Amino acid sequence: MTDPGPPRVAIRLIRALLPAEERDFVLGDLEEDFRRRADGEGRRRATARYLYDGARSALSLMTRGSREGMLTGWGNDLRSALRVFRREPGFALVVVLMLALGVGGATAVYSVLRGVVLSPLELDDPDRVVVVWGRTPEYPRMPLTVGDHKALAEGVDAFASIAASWGNTALLVGEGEPRQVHVGWVTPGYFDVVGAEPLLGRSLVAGDLTAVVISHGLWIRAWGADPDVIGRSLRLPEGSFEIVGVLPPDRNPNLSSFAGVRTSYDVWRLQPPEWLEGEDRSVGWLRTTARLRDGVTLAQAQAETDALMTAVNRTVTERDGGTDLRVDLVGAKEDLVGEVSRTLWILLASVVGVLLIAASNVANLTLARGEARRSEMALRATLGGSRSRLIRQLLVESGVLAVAGGVSGLAVASVGLSGLLALAPPGIPRMEAVGLDWSVLAFAMGATGAAAVVFGVVPALRFVRGDLSRALVGRRATPDRGQRTLSRALVVGEVALSLTLLTATGLLLRSMSGLDRVDLGLRAEGLMTFAVEVPEWGDTAEDAAATMSAFIEGMASVPGVRSVAFTNRIPLGGGIYTGTYRSEEMVAGEAPTLEASIRWVTPDFFTTFGTDVLMGRAFRVDDDPAVAILDRRAADRLWPDGSPLGRRLQLSAVGEEPQWVEVIGVVEPMKHAGVAEPAEETIFRPMLTAAHRQNFRYAAVRVGGEPLAYVDPLEDAARAVDGDAVLARIRTMEDLVRDDVAATRFAGFLLTVFGGVALLLATVGLHGIMAHSVRRRTREIGIRVALGAERRQILRKAVASGGVLVGSGVVLGLMASLGLGGVLRSVLFGVEPSDPASILGACVIMLTAGLGGAWLPARWVMRLDPATTLREE
Amino acid sequence: MTDPLSDLERLALAAILQIGPEAYGVSIRDEIRDRTGRDVSIGSLYKAIQRMEDRGYVSTYVGEPSAVRGGRAKKHVRVEAEGRRALEESVRALGRMLAGLDVDLEVT
């Protein structure tokens, strides 16, 4: 052929624009016309005409609607898509189930994340509220001293307002049965700072020393939501108080939490002004909260605070926690949920991984099924079904499956969410804000949509690019290389994701078993704790000691009770009570003070908690505050060599002058802040002789058998001492320990579930693709076997090809695990993210399951008779 | 009762009948242009043929490839009895609409 056709570029361009069914005919016509014109008008004009005609033709073929009619087409597609449930119920069921599992799981976890972490705090303009913490090298989070609080209140211009709070408990009398209430002590303007104005009445203002604001909950419980409660009186042991305000519901103005517990104060009182007098810096006890001025960023406020603290530190010679105190401003929400948010994000990422695996499986199923339907599609294309029309039908079909999966997913999510809420540990703040709402619904739709893109659009695109006429000619032809690569890539991705999840699961499980083995410094079983509230303990040291001794004797005489003790703080029960200390030698050398946790205890405390006395002795009834017992950590700190017994140290706690005490014993360290936290250096002081000046009085009772069975007899014994006595916050020590590690357990449990589901789905996916590929090659295998190939050899080859997929997935997953391990660090205990045992274990499980998934279908074909396989289509 | 024909479909049907066995994309397009001066695109012609094929007015068959078409086959079009009837019906309807008007037309 001497006569050249149109320029190649032009042909390609037009070719790409034309729909396949008329492509060749139109191109032929255009080219024929081109040649005629080229002879008469020249190539250039002919080319221009070619492009013009071609584009015009493509446009009219594309836009004039399908020959079957675009509008009626949708209805038809929908009907035919719905038919898939009847025609292939197995396929439809598997797809819907997998999607429901993936979407449901992801939605349930997202709704927790949304309620706890993403939704704003239930306060007015909460983003401007910051919690103010002191930080020293030893204590990253320290309440502020009076002196430092005042320095900040007066010196930081970025704060629109600032307030301080502190809390204790009291006995509410006069409204029915006496009951324990939590009392929040605040400075004037506190409710403005946190953004929770009273629903009824007014806030506390300066001078309101006989007024209280009550919580919405107490208003309902004690006054039956009586709107005339304002002006009525509320009786506490110290006297009568006027109720001036009722707080709104669902708003907890207390922003401070300890060990994840955010107390809901029932009664709010004004701190007496003398509490904030002077420049005391001996003990930090104030929880400071501030509201930023409009237009001031957190960073600006932080910079101003830093500058101020640098100046303040220069003037300070002695302070709790050292003279170099830094102050951190933390957003109120971040302060409350920062720790748990990491865990929840990890869980969400894991469950989204499960969703991706499910969607990949569905994509593979759709691909395999699309391949089986290629002949059908090719036939329809030949009979006149346009390609876009067929693709549209595929997409509508995927859409119907996705909607079914998404709706079922919502059902799974609502069941899963009630499960999550039931299982969730008590330490997760704001769980009351969790629920299914519009944003969760939107998430579910998004998740479904994303899954549908993976399993619907990807196969449809394959279909666009595939050559249908070939499918019609070679009905037994293997699928094109691209499609096989795609489904293999999906399986590799699934294996990689599963391995990552399995590794994370392994790490969490190892952390959990590590937590179980931690030495708490006490024996938890058979131990119960509760607060004892009475209207009056006694004004003098003698009276208070007598009251406390009477309670101890009374409760100890209950049959089955082994020992009873009082203390001001329960281990793992929350609360911070610290002081500073120095050895005699350190005072002489003018060394800086050290910080320790201070615990007041009665003589049987160590017996009751099962804590070993390592040196010296426990307290006796008549020990006065001039003696102390150290835990081993504090003793080692002060006197690394030599016995601390008989040595002297200087101690100061809140509101006290420094005091000299003599060491009479050393005990093993006890955990206080948390099982996973290091035991704090602790100094024990004798409580009986100081029983009159305690803010908290908790009893600990060791019994034989189930502790909670003793609640009623113990309460009777307490009432025998004081008719108004109330036992509050009753907890067994085992519950306290369990709750403390509950967050890790919760994460570990969920990750185990997600990891297990991921492993199962990935194995099913691998099994599916292997079964499919083996079945497709049944005939080939039959021929090979008939020609004398060793079955074993064929089997090995089949398994090896699956092994390559599993192996690649495992390698990818390993890289991901090692790369992402650091993210997990914050939720791990006693195990490194690169822990070889966890990683190796995950690899072994994945390889075993994966190779099993590859081996089974191969073996299935091996069992067949060659004659049968040859007949197989 | 037959579906009414569009203008382009009527032109195409007539052109195919005029051309006979050699009716395909280019020849039909040329026939319409030569007789009416209208420049229709190959694509819209195919669209019209598809629509008529769906209604059974025409049938198509694939011819031999030729060098002048870059080695591509022609799609030949043939008018079926149903198509001829539809054309007659369409022209008659037009004739009835025009009857009595002062228009210089001769319609059979």
Side-chain angles (χ1 to χ4, degrees):
Chain A
M1 193 172 67
T2 54
D3 199 6
R8 274 225 191 113
V9 193
I11 299 183
R12 270 207 205 138
L13 188 70
I14 299 303
R15 186 188 158 78
L17 293 174
L18 289 169
E21 44 180 351
E22 305 287 12
R23 186 184 290 149
D24 275 352
F25 305 121
V26 176
L27 283 173
D29 285 344
L30 289 171
E31 187 158 337
E32 198 183 327
D33 192 53
F34 171 84
R35 280 172 206 277
R36 250 183 4 213
R37 286 177 192 275
D39 283 347
E41 307 163 26
R43 277 184 65 80
R44 184 185 296 235
R45 296 192 62 166
T47 304
R49 178 75 195 185
Y50 180 91
L51 288 171
Y52 170 66
D53 262 351
R56 217 156 49 122
S57 297
L59 201 66
S60 60
L61 280 171
M62 273 191 290
T63 55
R64 281 284 177 83
S66 152
R67 59 193 303 188
E68 290 169 39
M70 262 299 184
L71 285 173
T72 57
W74 286 107
N76 283 335
D77 286 342
L78 202 59
R79 269 194 298 281
S80 94
L82 287 172
R83 229 175 283 141
V84 73
F85 288 100
R86 215 176 49 219
R87 212 172 50 228
E88 296 166 82
F91 168 77
L93 188 72
V94 169
V95 168
V96 170
L97 271 182
M98 283 205 204
L99 286 179
L101 207 63
V103 171
T107 306
V109 174
Y110 172 78
S111 54
V112 174
L113 183 79
R114 149 133 188 104
V116 172
V117 179
L118 299 180
S119 65
L121 282 180
E122 69 287 7
L123 304 166
D124 295 334
D125 200 5
D127 292 343
R128 308 213 65 76
V129 182
V130 293
V131 176
V132 185
W133 285 106
R135 170 166 52 85
T136 66
E138 271 184 80
Y139 288 85
R141 288 271 196 273
M142 262 185 74
L144 294 182
T145 61
V146 168
D148 292 316
H149 172 81
K150 281 169 76 177
L152 290 170
E154 287 155 15
V156 180
D157 197 43
F159 295 151
S161 51
I162 185 167
S165 65
W166 180 77
N168 70 353
T169 60
L171 201 62
L172 180 66
V173 288
E175 299 295 328
E177 286 268 294
R179 69 184 88 197
Q180 189 203 35
V181 287
H182 292 274
V183 184
W185 298 79
V186 296
T187 54
Y190 180 81
F191 298 111
D192 285 329
V193 173
V194 298
E197 285 301 302
L199 180 74
L200 297 176
R202 59 173 178 86
S203 296
L204 295 169
V205 296
D208 261 344
L209 292 176
T210 56
V212 292
V213 165
I214 60 172
S215 73
H216 198 264
L218 185 68
W219 180 47
I220 291 176
R221 286 196 305 274
W223 282 275
D226 181 355
D228 295 329
V229 74
I230 303 299
R232 303 259 283 269
S233 66
L234 173 148
R235 276 190 54 219
L236 294 174
E238 302 112 282
S240 213
F241 295 84
E242 184 193 348
I243 299 172
V244 298
V246 177
L247 290 170
D250 311 321
R251 286 192 179 196
N252 183 354
N254 177 23
L255 296 179
S256 61
S257 59
F258 181 82
V261 179
R262 180 184 176 198
T263 307
S264 290
Y265 293 125
D266 307 291
V267 175
W268 296 82
R269 293 180 61 181
L270 209 60
Q271 294 188 4
E274 60 268 24
W275 285 13
L276 290 182
E277 271 166 16
E279 291 285 322
D280 181 67
R281 284 193 167 84
S282 63
V283 169
W285 57 277
L286 285 172
R287 298 298 188 94
T288 301
T289 313
R291 182 171 280 271
L292 300 182
R293 250 180 235 294
D294 285 341
V296 173
T297 66
L298 185 60
Q300 286 166 345
Q302 181 68 60
E304 197 190 335
T305 306
D306 287 345
L308 178 80
M309 286 313 293
T310 306
V312 168
N313 284 340
R314 254 185 247 124
T315 66
V316 171
T317 50
E318 222 173 328
R319 175 203 275 136
D320 179 11
T323 49
D324 188 27
L325 181 83
R326 309 314 310 174
V327 167
D328 291 326
L329 308 182
V330 187
K333 192 170 81 177
E334 163 68 20
D335 189 57
L336 204 55
V337 301
E339 214 166 307
V340 74
S341 80
R342 271 187 292 278
T343 309
L344 287 175
W345 279 113
I346 290 169
L347 288 176
L348 184 69
S350 313
V351 78
V352 164
V354 172
L355 173 64
L356 275 179
I357 293 175
S360 307
N361 268 350
V362 175
N364 261 339
L365 272 179
T366 318
L367 277 175
R369 181 162 156 277
E371 189 193 309
R373 289 174 71 191
R374 277 172 85 80
S375 325
E376 173 204 334
M377 289 292 173
L379 196 65
R380 290 178 57 174
T382 320
L383 290 178
S386 77
R387 186 176 286 252
S388 64
R389 177 79 178 60
L390 294 180
I391 288 172
R392 200 180 71 191
Q393 196 200 320
L394 283 180
L395 286 179
V396 170
E397 218 171 88
S398 308
V400 165
L401 289 169
V403 168
V407 170
S408 322
L410 274 182
V412 171
S414 101
V415 173
L417 185 59
S418 11
L420 283 181
L421 290 176
L423 284 169
I428 296 188
R430 309 181 74 209
M431 277 306 258
E432 67 281 353
V434 170
L436 294 175
D437 61 9
W438 282 108
S439 116
V440 170
L441 203 66
F443 176 87
M445 280 169 60
T448 312
V453 166
V454 175
F455 79 80
V457 174
V458 170
L461 284 179
R462 292 293 326 151
F463 182 74
V464 176
R465 291 168 54 199
D467 188 345
L468 284 174
S469 58
R470 211 179 296 156
L472 192 61
V473 175
R475 287 183 49 197
R476 224 172 271 127
T478 46
D480 59 293
R481 190 171 292 278
Q483 173 166 327
R484 226 169 50 213
T485 312
L486 183 65
S487 36
R488 291 161 74 91
L490 285 172
V491 166
V492 169
E494 287 181 31
V495 171
L497 266 174
S498 306
L499 185 82
T500 314
L501 282 182
L502 284 177
T503 308
T505 306
L507 290 170
L508 258 287
L509 290 178
R510 299 252 298 160
S511 300
M512 276 157 70
S513 81
L515 286 173
D516 282 344
R517 286 195 306 269
V518 165
D519 181 7
L520 299 173
L522 56 87
R523 281 193 300 118
E525 64 280 8
L527 190 56
M528 171 171 46
T529 69
F530 45 85
V532 177
E533 297 285 350
V534 291
E536 198 52 60
W537 284 88
D539 288 336
T540 63
E542 289 75 25
D543 285 354
T547 313
M548 194 170 273
S549 299
F551 275 116
I552 293 174
E553 275 165 37
M555 293 194 286
S557 64
V558 170
V561 170
R562 306 228 166 112
S563 65
V564 179
F566 270 86
T567 178
N568 62 331
R569 302 279 176 192
I570 295 294
L572 308 181
I576 308 172
Y577 185 68
T578 58
T580 56
Y581 69 110
R582 279 193 294 185
S583 66
E584 203 166 6
E585 296 80 352
M586 289 165 74
V587 175
E590 295 193 347
T593 58
L594 302 171
E595 170 127 1
S597 169
I598 297 203
R599 178 166 282 148
W600 297 88
V601 299
T602 57
D604 279 339
F605 178 83
F606 300 112
T607 320
T608 307
F609 276 86
T611 302
D612 290 336
V613 178
L614 303 174
M615 273 187 250
R617 61 169 176 88
F619 289 122
R620 284 196 292 256
V621 176
D622 56 355
D623 278 330
D624 63 20
V627 295
I629 293 173
L630 305 187
D631 79 341
R632 199 188 54 231
R633 288 170 54 99
D636 287 350
R637 186 95 184 253
L638 291 186
W639 298 285
D641 355 274
S643 165
L645 295 183
R647 310 284 270 273
R648 282 167 20 107
L649 61 100
Q650 197 184 44
L651 190 63
S652 76
V654 59
E656 280 179 2
E657 291 296 308
Q659 200 181 352
W660 286 99
V661 298
E662 186 191 323
V663 178
I664 58 162
V666 175
V667 296
E668 65 174 310
M670 298 168 81
K671 294 280 185 175
H672 179 71
V675 174
E677 304 296 319
E680 292 158 5
E681 287 147 29
T682 305
I683 297 172
F684 295 92
R685 311 197 63 194
M687 193 180 197
L688 269 185
T689 42
H692 58 301
R693 47 188 182 98
Q694 298 295 330
N695 284 309
F696 297 93
R697 296 173 185 90
Y698 286 96
V701 180
R702 178 166 292 284
V703 300
E706 166 55 40
L708 291 180
Y710 288 83
V711 171
D712 286 341
L714 285 171
E715 197 158 37
D716 291 344
R719 292 264 161 86
V721 176
D722 184 326
D724 286 333
V726 170
L727 308 191
R729 304 178 78 179
I730 301 166
R731 310 289 305 272
T732 68
M733 198 63 218
E734 282 182 306
D735 278 346
L736 284 169
V737 174
R738 194 165 43 236
D739 289 354
D740 188 72
V741 297
T744 308
R745 274 190 191 289
F746 180 62
F749 169 75
L750 286 185
L751 264 182
T752 310
V753 172
F754 298 158
V757 172
L759 178 69
L760 184 76
L761 287 180
T763 309
V764 166
L766 188 75
H767 180 276
I769 188 178
M770 289 312 292
H772 185 69
S773 107
V774 166
R775 195 168 307 142
R776 211 170 45 215
R777 291 168 56 204
T778 305
R779 199 179 144 84
E780 174 204 331
I781 292 171
I783 293 174
R784 285 217 218 159
V785 171
L787 290 177
E790 279 276 336
R791 282 176 187 242
R792 183 174 303 226
Q793 203 182 339
I794 295 172
L795 182 68
R796 199 179 304 140
K797 228 181 129 185
V799 173
S801 82
V804 170
L805 298 185
V806 180
S808 323
V810 165
V811 170
L812 271 180
L814 266 179
M815 296 196 300
S817 297
L818 291 175
L820 297 174
V823 178
L824 281 176
R825 195 181 292 274
S826 64
V827 295
L828 297 183
F829 175 77
V831 57
E832 281 297 304
S834 59
D835 176 48
S838 305
I839 292 177
L840 210 66
C843 287
V844 168
I845 293 173
M846 192 66 242
L847 284 172
T848 312
L851 290 179
W855 181 73
L856 281 175
R859 193 159 167 74
W860 170 72
V861 168
M862 290 304 108
R863 293 241 178 89
L864 292 180
D865 177 31
T868 322
T869 55
L870 277 175
R871 275 197 300 275
E872 186 94 7
E873 261 301 80
Chain B
M1 185 62 201
T2 52
D3 272 349
L5 291 172
S6 75
D7 190 34
L8 180 58
E9 286 165 356
R10 198 160 46 219
L11 292 179
L13 268 184
I16 298 162
L17 287 170
Q18 293 284 358
I19 301 162
E22 260 308 296
Y24 68 99
V26 175
S27 67
I28 300 170
R29 205 261 313 258
D30 289 352
E31 191 72 25
I32 293 174
R33 190 187 51 208
D34 292 346
R35 284 175 179 267
T36 69
R38 279 215 238 167
D39 183 15
V40 299
S41 84
I42 297 281
S44 54
L45 207 50
Y46 273 97
K47 206 79 211 180
I49 291 168
Q50 282 178 356
R51 286 195 300 265
M52 293 195 290
E53 195 176 14
D54 286 346
R55 287 178 279 174
Y57 295 172
V58 299
S59 58
T60 60
Y61 57 100
V62 178
E64 287 299 317
S66 66
V68 74
R69 297 170 61 84
R72 298 185 187 85
K74 290 174 182 169
K75 190 180 203 176
H76 291 282
V77 193
R78 188 168 52 209
V79 177
E80 297 296 325
E82 195 70 25
R84 186 180 282 274
R85 241 193 328 274
L87 182 60
E88 283 164 6
E89 172 69 38
S90 170
V91 175
R92 243 182 257 125
L94 184 60
R96 281 194 293 274
M97 290 307 295
L98 297 174
L101 291 179
D102 186 18
V103 183
D104 185 16
L105 279 174
E106 194 199 333
V107 180
T108 39

